[in-house]
Amino acid sequence: EPEVTQTPSHQVTQMGQEVILRCVPISNHLYFYWYRQILGQKVEFLVSFYNNEISEKSEIFDDQFSVERPDGSNFTLKIRSTKLEDSAMYFCASRLGVETQYFGPGTRLLVL
Amino acid sequence: DAKTTQPTSMDCAEGRAANLPCNHSTISGNEYVYWYRQIHSQGPQYIIHGLKNNETNEMASLIITEDRKSSTLILPHATLRDTAVYYCIVVGTSYDKVIFGPGTSLSVIP
């Protein structure tokens, strides 16, 4: 069964460093998303992406964040200058159209 | 904000059916009811969804009331591996994001 994959599974970085989280959505899907979950809190929407542009973004998704689909398979989330409060699980998701959104296993980001 | 309300937590004995309720009284005609679960910080896992009719798959059954204002997720024979947070979510037919509420924390007890 096709699934969304994410790398790395864990990332430790120093405050102020740039990180890139990578996702491979399900191959024929058209809509892509990033969510995050701070430890002990609920899953929060960050950004949606369709047709090579951002469809919607939340207040969390400020100028420090960017997304890119550099080729036909990868979907990346970049945090330019990480802050302590960026420590969280980051989930990628994709959907084909009006059907179900499928989530990846997540990347645990720890900013020291 | 989430458009659904769910109990904060529930217990279920292993092997018994787990019935998880959800209220979505403001649901509109083109919105689906989706259920996901999250097992201890893993990625949310899709379980089942429906529009009007009851649905069943290999994981669960979804019962939607005729007025569509509430639904129940049924895990017919709960196992310890079903211990998770279960999210009832209303999703439209556009490229809507998924808005997660706090969900129901289900504990399956031996």
Side-chain angles (χ1 to χ4, degrees):
Chain A
E1 183 176 320
E3 58 183 18
V4 177
T5 60
Q6 292 185 242
T7 55
S9 58
H10 295 78
Q11 174 90 48
V12 180
T13 190
Q14 295 291 324
M15 188 170 57
Q17 295 295 305
E18 174 183 287
V19 295
I20 297 176
L21 309 182
R22 302 182 192 280
C23 169
V24 178
I26 295 173
S27 63
N28 60 339
H29 282 192
L30 301 174
Y31 300 89
F32 313 109
Y33 307 81
W34 284 100
Y35 296 80
R36 81 171 185 189
Q37 185 176 33
I38 295 171
L39 186 63
Q41 298 185 21
K42 62 184 181 181
V43 179
E44 301 173 288
F45 167 76
L46 291 179
V47 65
S48 58
F49 191 86
Y50 170 71
N51 200 25
N52 281 321
E53 61 183 23
I54 291 174
S55 311
E56 185 178 358
K57 59 183 180 180
S58 71
E59 293 178 350
I60 303 167
F61 195 88
D62 61 22
D63 292 344
Q64 293 299 313
F65 291 89
S66 63
V67 290
E68 191 178 31
R69 187 157 163 82
D71 53 42
S73 59
N74 292 286
F75 180 51
T76 62
L77 174 69
K78 181 192 292 185
I79 309 174
R80 290 190 183 82
S81 178
T82 51
K83 303 188 284 287
L84 296 176
E85 53 265 38
D86 293 327
S87 295
M89 285 289 291
Y90 287 82
F91 298 109
C92 173
S94 71
R95 66 192 283 190
L96 174 59
V98 300
E99 296 92 5
T100 304
Q101 199 168 132
Y102 292 95
F103 288 78
T107 293
R108 183 177 297 279
L109 176 65
L110 178 61
V111 182
L112 301 176
Chain B
D1 290 333
K3 301 179 183 179
T4 64
T5 56
Q6 300 176 250
T8 303
S9 63
M10 293 181 64
D11 292 338
C12 177
E14 187 179 17
R16 304 297 282 259
N19 297 281
L20 290 87
C22 178
N23 288 319
H24 31 79
S25 58
T26 61
I27 193 170
S28 60
N30 64 346
E31 290 181 319
Y32 289 78
V33 179
Y34 273 78
W35 283 83
Y36 287 84
R37 71 180 182 184
Q38 189 176 25
I39 299 172
H40 190 57
S41 293
Q42 295 180 22
Q45 178 189 22
Y46 165 75
I47 302 173
I48 199 167
H49 74 282
L51 183 64
K52 296 180 183 177
N53 300 321
N54 298 336
E55 302 287 345
T56 296
N57 63 19
E58 65 277 6
M59 289 183 68
S61 294
L62 174 60
I63 309 298
I64 302 174
T65 58
E66 194 168 341
D67 63 8
R68 303 215 315 131
K69 292 185 177 181
S70 65
S71 60
T72 301
L73 178 74
I74 302 171
L75 307 178
H77 305 287
T79 71
L80 299 179
R81 286 175 292 182
D82 292 322
T83 292
V85 179
Y86 287 77
Y87 301 100
C88 170
I89 298 164
V90 168
V91 181
T93 55
S94 65
Y95 48 76
D96 274 359
K97 57 189 177 290
V98 175
I99 301 174
F100 288 88
T104 296
S105 178
L106 176 69
S107 297
V108 180
I109 301 168

